[in-house]
Amino acid sequence: MRNRRAEVIAGHQLQPASLSMGYGYRPELSEGALKSPIFQTSTFAFRSAEDGKRFFQIATGQIEPEEGERPGLIYSRLNNPDLEILEDRLCLWEDAEMGLAFGSGMAAIATTLLTYLRPGDVLLHSEPLYGGTTHLVNDMLPEFGVVSVSFDASDTRDDIESKLSAASGDALRMILIETPANPTNDLIDIRMCADIASTRAAGDRRPLLAVDNTFLGPLWQHPLKHGADLVIYSATKYLGGHSDLIAGAVLGPAEHLRPIAATRTYLGTMADPWTGWLLMRSLETLHLRMTRQTDTAGKVARFLAEHPRVSRVRYLDLLDPDDPQAAIYRRQCLGPGAMISFEVEWGEAGAFRFLNALRLIKLAVSLGSTESLAEHPASMTHCAVPPEEKVRTGVTEGLVRLSVGVEEADDLITDLTQALAAADEKEENR
Ligand code: PLP
């Protein structure tokens, strides 16, 4: 957990971008090494048997640690310095009390849901969700007796309440939302979902609200400040940022995170030390990367919005000010991010011709990296989404998702221009 004293100099609160290089690491414990070593070890030697006993008692919750005492290092499935320092640094960005690192975004989501959901419980979730999460909530959790109830950005609070009242399960236990949604950039009102959770509390059991904040990352949206209980990340995306690792994270108050930490220990869904170290390195440039990517994405989105062969450009900064989505954006987001989706003409065939013609932008799934990536959600990331849900949520055959990297905007626009022209030309020659 965080050491808040280390964040202030003479009453001045230091920013996460300034703390990301050294926070939570003590060189004197590692031969003075300026950077944290990679603690590539499965287990840790105890100084005495008494220490080992105490570390286990604390780790398993049999006794509480003394004020300021950190749980001792035992075994890398439970804890490891690279993960602990990383988790402390992740907390800085959104003032979270505790963080946990996972082996993937899906490991973070699955471990969180398995911690809190039991047979008969109702899980309320937004649509669309990332395809892997859709499969988990639609196909896997029902096999464990969990009842999934879905809603989308067009549903009002009354619509959602009626859906919940009609659900067959015992009680609402969790709400899981992805906002902005992958791939449509649809926004869900976090405060409204927190209010639904509060009104559905049964005794001291209040449903928990978990927000997948992967699309805007910790720079542009802080769900905990809007009433969320848990923030979830695919750290593979902006947090990692270089298309070279797979990881996940969950942040929030310790009372909600400790049970998830226990599940992580027994399922073994933690990240490994090397990934933890890579993520620490990535966090040093998170602010630089995300501000540059967002700046470039704005230029690219405006270019696409004016292109005659492109329609329905979804980028948060281009929302019509009278659209109810724009009101949520102003209230809840700190910036538009660097994810754009748009439709090209001629459905899947047109989208494929466009994607195949790209030269600088890579045709690949994933997002949030230094290089720009484009993909076709309907046949790739969201292929597991049932066809009727695709139609309802706007995951059309002509939809392309673009993740803008750190390249020069002019170069990206040149590549998009030629790919749109190439796709168009081939259509005319048919
Ligand atoms: N959440 C969102 C919004 C995603 O886009 C993804 C992956 O694309 C995930 C979760 C899953 O993350 P991972 O691939 O790291 O398991």
Side-chain angles (χ1 to χ4, degrees):
M1 272 200 289
R2 298 170 57 181
N3 168 12
R4 287 167 196 259
R5 252 167 35 107
E7 299 160 33
V8 177
I9 298 177
H12 172 82
Q13 176 72 48
L14 300 173
Q15 302 296 311
S18 307
L19 290 163
S20 286
M21 281 64 78
Y23 182 74
Y25 170 65
R26 289 169 55 193
E28 69 273 19
L29 297 181
S30 297
E31 309 280 358
L34 182 76
K35 287 298 186 195
S36 170
I38 305 169
F39 289 87
Q40 190 68 43
T41 183
S42 57
T43 194
F44 296 85
F46 303 134
R47 273 175 306 188
S48 66
E50 288 75 12
D51 265 8
K53 177 178 176 184
R54 182 170 178 79
F55 294 173
F56 267 95
Q57 284 174 323
I58 293 174
T60 54
Q62 292 172 44
I63 59 170
E64 284 298 312
E66 305 272 312
E67 179 74 28
E69 180 185 5
R70 285 197 81 123
L73 293 162
I74 298 176
Y75 183 68
S76 287
R77 179 156 48 74
L78 281 77
N79 49 14
N80 176 288
D82 290 300
L83 293 198
E84 290 189 344
I85 302 166
L86 166 70
E87 288 162 350
D88 285 352
R89 289 187 192 170
L90 286 172
C91 285
L92 293 171
W93 296 89
E94 38 207 311
D95 206 18
E97 191 183 5
M98 185 173 167
L100 290 168
F102 290 85
S104 69
M106 285 311 300
I109 295 168
T111 306
T112 301
L113 297 184
L114 289 177
T115 300
Y116 286 108
L117 294 171
R118 293 293 172 271
D121 285 348
V122 174
L123 167 69
L124 176 69
H125 69 86
S126 60
E127 271 179 357
L129 291 170
Y130 163 63
T133 316
T134 302
H135 181 73
L136 181 65
V137 302
N138 280 353
D139 303 315
M140 294 179 74
L141 289 180
E143 294 194 356
F144 294 89
V146 174
V147 177
S148 290
V149 177
S150 64
F151 69 99
D152 62 48
S154 68
D155 284 313
T156 62
R157 176 160 180 187
D158 286 348
D159 298 334
I160 299 170
E161 297 282 3
S162 328
K163 286 182 179 192
L164 279 174
S165 303
S168 59
D170 301 334
L172 178 64
R173 183 67 184 121
M174 276 199 93
I175 305 177
L176 172 66
I177 60 174
E178 202 178 280
T179 181
N182 182 358
T184 55
N185 265 337
D186 283 350
L187 292 173
I188 303 290
D189 188 335
I190 299 173
R191 177 60 62 192
M192 175 194 70
C193 292
D195 289 345
I196 293 174
S198 299
T199 56
R200 296 257 163 183
D204 59 357
R205 243 176 73 133
R206 181 180 161 279
L208 292 183
L209 170 60
V211 178
D212 184 330
N213 198 32
T214 299
F215 256 40
L216 285 183
L219 246 72
W220 307 130
Q221 185 170 258
H222 297 155
L224 297 175
K225 298 205 168 68
H226 299 275
D229 300 296
L230 300 166
V231 182
I232 303 182
Y233 286 105
S234 167
T236 312
K237 312 300 182 329
Y238 289 99
L239 299 178
H242 294 75
S243 302
D244 56 7
L245 61 84
I246 299 276
V250 181
L251 307 175
E255 66 168 311
H256 300 323
L257 271 272
R258 283 208 183 100
I260 303 174
T263 315
R264 184 184 72 168
T265 291
Y266 297 112
L267 294 185
T269 46
M270 71 294 155
D272 63 275
W274 169 225
T275 302
W277 187 91
L278 279 173
L279 275 166
M280 279 194 266
R281 186 174 174 146
S282 293
L283 287 186
E284 297 189 11
T285 56
L286 181 72
H287 191 274
L288 281 175
R289 285 184 282 111
M290 288 193 79
T291 43
R292 159 83 173 197
Q293 284 169 283
T294 301
D295 186 43
T296 307
K299 294 176 186 156
V300 169
R302 278 185 283 282
F303 157 78
L304 288 168
E306 280 169 21
H307 197 285
R309 296 297 191 196
V310 170
S311 60
R312 302 192 61 201
V313 176
R314 288 158 226 201
Y315 182 62
L316 295 179
D317 218 21
L318 295 184
L319 283 167
D320 179 340
D322 297 329
D323 186 333
Q325 288 272 294
I328 302 177
Y329 174 60
R330 285 191 294 271
R331 211 165 45 240
Q332 168 173 308
C333 309
L334 300 163
M339 295 301 300
I340 306 170
S341 63
F342 56 96
E343 284 180 35
V344 293
E345 294 185 338
W346 326 293
E348 182 188 277
F352 278 18
R353 281 198 301 275
F354 164 75
L355 289 167
N356 289 336
L358 288 169
R359 290 174 56 192
L360 174 63
I361 298 167
K362 302 286 179 292
L363 168 51
V365 297
S366 201
L367 57 104
S369 302
T370 43
E371 63 273 283
S372 295
L373 302 174
E375 65 114 9
H376 183 245
S379 67
M380 297 172 191
T381 45
H382 293 69
C383 66
V385 176
E388 64 285 357
E389 189 182 321
K390 281 188 193 155
V391 172
R392 197 170 57 243
T393 55
V395 183
T396 58
E397 293 299 319
L399 190 76
V400 170
R401 188 188 76 186
L402 177 64
S403 165
V404 176
V406 299
E407 303 93 339
E408 293 292 342
D410 282 355
D411 293 346
L412 293 174
I413 289 170
T414 303
D415 195 23
L416 291 166
T417 306
Q418 69 78 26
L420 285 164
D424 203 20
E425 234 170 61
K426 286 192 187 134
E427 179 66 18
E428 276 163 11
N429 295 339
R430 285 163 100 76

